């Protein structure tokens, strides 16, 4: 049953919305339309179709939205998945525009990446780099489009790739990706959650996790890390072209049943799209996984996985200064722990060498 609202009540509601968010309802609709235009790809539609076919997959997906304190989930019950997608594109569905911008940039960027990069075969390390490159481009585009609408209230997501500065070790199973996720609390303070991702491809539903480094299963090594660790699955095949690839899916390694001899796992069961996984991680990570400085976050990451074993270092943040701060922290850690040597300072030019002196 619809509730009628008088003209006075409607204006009061608009004023309350403007006061809470700093922009008008009309601007919110414009932002929603921007996102939906970016998301109009086959991969997202195909993913929703898969969810509609499996109640368990759908339940995991919906739970990540309905239970998030960052999402105003009232009124979403009973809506179709497409309707929920449209609702989440509306800034008022989120507690603040920073989380809205992060979620939507991740979702639209990952969907566009799947459409462009996953149909033809590529190695996992190449796919990982391409994904975060696409997300970086999407965040720049979003920042440009959002600013004229929100003005001084603009909130965006910044994706950066840090120079490894060490020669990565050759591995038969591929290296890990270190992701540093900065989020902002109600007081405006930043904290970082480190996330370790291991890329795998899957052609149908199952992904192989039987790889070993020597006698040690990679799966066991990932489970031994005490930081958040997950597989990121790419719908990509070595033997055939995939015309309707799903967007990248993320699955916590501890959601996979332990086995002394792991072989495979479903890439869809207990998995979430990258946007939903990070939304859940940001809102549920314990204090022991939140670090107040880039230096502390980098040290925690290196205590889990050696910098030699990394193929990418990624930073996701609402702050435009994150790349510089994490680059400095990463370089300092490598120097202090003997991975690289500090570059020698260049000698200043002798003025007497100038012509005419």
């Amino acid at each position: 049953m619809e509730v009628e609202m008088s003209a006075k009540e409607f204006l009061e509601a608009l004023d309350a919305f403007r006061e809470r968010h700093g922009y008008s309802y009309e601007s919110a609709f414009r932002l929603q339309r921007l996102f939906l235009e970016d998301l109009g790809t086959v991969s997202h539609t195909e993913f929703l179709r898969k969810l509609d076919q499996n109640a368990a997959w759908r339940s995991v997906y919906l739970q990540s939205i309905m239970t998030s304190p960052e999402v105003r989930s009232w009124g979403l019950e009973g809506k179709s998945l497409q309707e929920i997608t449209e609702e989440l594109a509306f800034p008022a569905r989120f507690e603040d525009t920073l989380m809205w911008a992060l979620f939507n940039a991740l979702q639209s960027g990952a969907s566009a990446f799947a459409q462009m990069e996953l149909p033809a075969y590529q190695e996992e390390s190449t796919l990982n780099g391409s994904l975060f490159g696409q997300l970086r481009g999407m965040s720049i585009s979003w920042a440009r489009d959002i600013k004229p609408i929100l003005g001084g209230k603009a909130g965006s997501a910044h994706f950066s790739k840090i120079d490894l500065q060490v020669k990565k070790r050759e591995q038969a199973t591929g290296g890990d990706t270190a992701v540093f996720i900065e989020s902002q609390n109600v007081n405006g303070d930043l904290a970082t959650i480190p996330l370790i991702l291991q890329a795998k491809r899957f052609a149908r539903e199952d992904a192989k996790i039987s790889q070993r480094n020597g006698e040690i299963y990679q799966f066991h090594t990932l489970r031994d890390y005490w930081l958040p660790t997950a597989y990121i699955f790419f719908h990509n095949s070595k033997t055939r072209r995939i015309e309707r690839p799903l967007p990248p899916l993320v699955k916590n390694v501890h959601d996979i049943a332990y086995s002394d001899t792991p072989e495979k796992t479903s890439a869809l069961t207990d998995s979430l799209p990258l946007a939903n996984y990070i939304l859940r991680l940001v809102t549920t990570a314990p204090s022991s996984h939140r670090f107040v400085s880039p230096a502390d976050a980098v040290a925690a990451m290196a205590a889990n996985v050696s910098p030699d074993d990394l193929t990418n270092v990624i930073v996701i943040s609402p702050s435009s200064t994150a790349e510089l701060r994490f680059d400095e922290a990463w370089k300092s850690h490598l120097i202090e722990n003997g991975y690289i040597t500090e570059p020698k300072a260049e000698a200043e030019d002798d003025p007497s060498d100038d012509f005419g002196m």
Side-chain angles (χ1 to χ4, degrees), residues 11 15 29 38 47 104 135 179-180 189 216 252 296 324:
L11 291 174
D15 287 338
F29 277 117
D38 280 338
F47 176 67
N104 286 302
L135 294 175
V179 184
F180 296 101
D189 300 321
I216 301 174
N252 191 307
D296 290 340
L324 175 62

Side-chain angles (χ1 to χ4, degrees), residues 75-335:
L76 292 180
E77 297 85 354
K79 288 184 178 290
S80 70
L81 293 176
Q82 182 58 42
E83 288 172 330
I84 290 175
T85 293
E86 294 170 1
E87 289 282 343
L88 293 178
F90 192 49
R93 275 293 175 189
F94 287 80
E95 290 296 330
D96 64 68
T97 57
L98 290 175
M99 187 56 69
W100 167 82
L102 172 61
F103 180 86
N104 286 302
L106 283 168
Q107 190 161 241
S108 55
S111 186
F113 158 81
Q115 188 74 11
M116 292 185 293
E117 302 292 342
L118 292 183
Y121 168 74
Q122 297 186 60
E123 292 288 347
E124 285 98 334
S125 58
T126 302
L127 292 171
N128 236 350
S130 299
L131 169 62
F132 287 100
Q134 175 68 38
L135 294 175
R136 180 183 176 89
M138 185 65 72
S139 71
I140 294 172
S141 173
W142 264 66
R144 182 186 64 243
D145 293 340
I146 288 172
K147 190 173 181 179
I149 298 175
L150 296 187
K153 299 285 184 178
S156 191
H158 300 272
F159 297 82
S160 309
K161 186 173 181 179
I162 303 301
D163 184 2
L164 281 173
Q165 302 193 46
V166 293
K167 184 179 179 181
K168 57 178 178 286
R169 188 180 302 159
E170 292 294 330
Q171 301 178 60
T173 57
D176 300 314
T177 290
V179 184
F180 296 101
I181 307 165
E182 273 196 323
S183 60
Q184 199 173 61
N185 63 20
V186 292
N187 298 320
D189 300 321
L190 290 170
T192 302
I193 303 170
L195 168 64
I196 301 166
L197 292 177
Q198 172 62 225
K200 297 294 177 194
R201 290 180 296 106
F202 73 102
R204 299 190 185 278
E205 181 183 339
D206 290 333
K208 292 182 180 180
I209 56 170
S210 58
Q211 292 86 348
R212 292 186 293 182
N213 292 321
E215 296 300 314
I216 301 174
Y217 281 97
Q218 184 188 70
F219 172 67
H220 296 159
T221 300
L222 295 172
R223 285 179 62 93
D224 286 341
Y225 296 150
W226 57 266
L227 287 175
T229 306
Y231 285 110
I232 181 166
F233 298 121
F234 294 109
H235 195 192
N236 183 255
S237 173
K238 196 170 186 175
T239 58
R240 65 186 178 89
R241 182 177 176 83
I242 297 178
E243 296 299 337
R244 299 172 66 88
L246 300 176
L249 300 171
V250 184
K251 185 174 187 175
N252 191 307
V253 294
H254 295 287
D255 286 334
I256 301 172
Y258 180 84
S259 170
D260 288 334
T261 55
E263 294 184 3
K264 61 185 179 180
T265 186
S266 168
L268 294 168
T269 301
D270 295 322
S271 296
L272 288 170
L274 183 62
N276 297 70
Y277 186 88
I278 289 182
L279 174 68
R280 186 177 69 181
L281 181 64
V282 166
T283 55
T284 62
S287 58
S288 59
H289 291 165
R290 298 176 188 268
F291 300 89
V292 296
S293 72
D296 290 340
V298 167
M301 178 65 73
N304 281 259
V305 56
S306 169
D308 290 328
D309 292 331
L310 293 171
T311 55
N312 292 288
V313 180
I314 306 297
V315 179
I316 303 174
S317 174
S319 168
S320 60
T321 67
E323 181 173 0
L324 175 62
R325 289 184 287 108
F326 276 89
D327 190 65
E328 291 177 347
W330 181 257
K331 183 179 179 180
S332 295
H333 183 88
L334 295 181
I335 292 172

Side-chain angles (χ1 to χ4, degrees), residues 55-65 269-272 280:
W57 299 343
R58 179 188 174 100
S59 176
V60 171
Y61 175 77
L62 289 176
Q63 188 179 36
S64 70
I65 296 166
T269 301
D270 295 322
S271 296
L272 288 170
R280 186 177 69 181

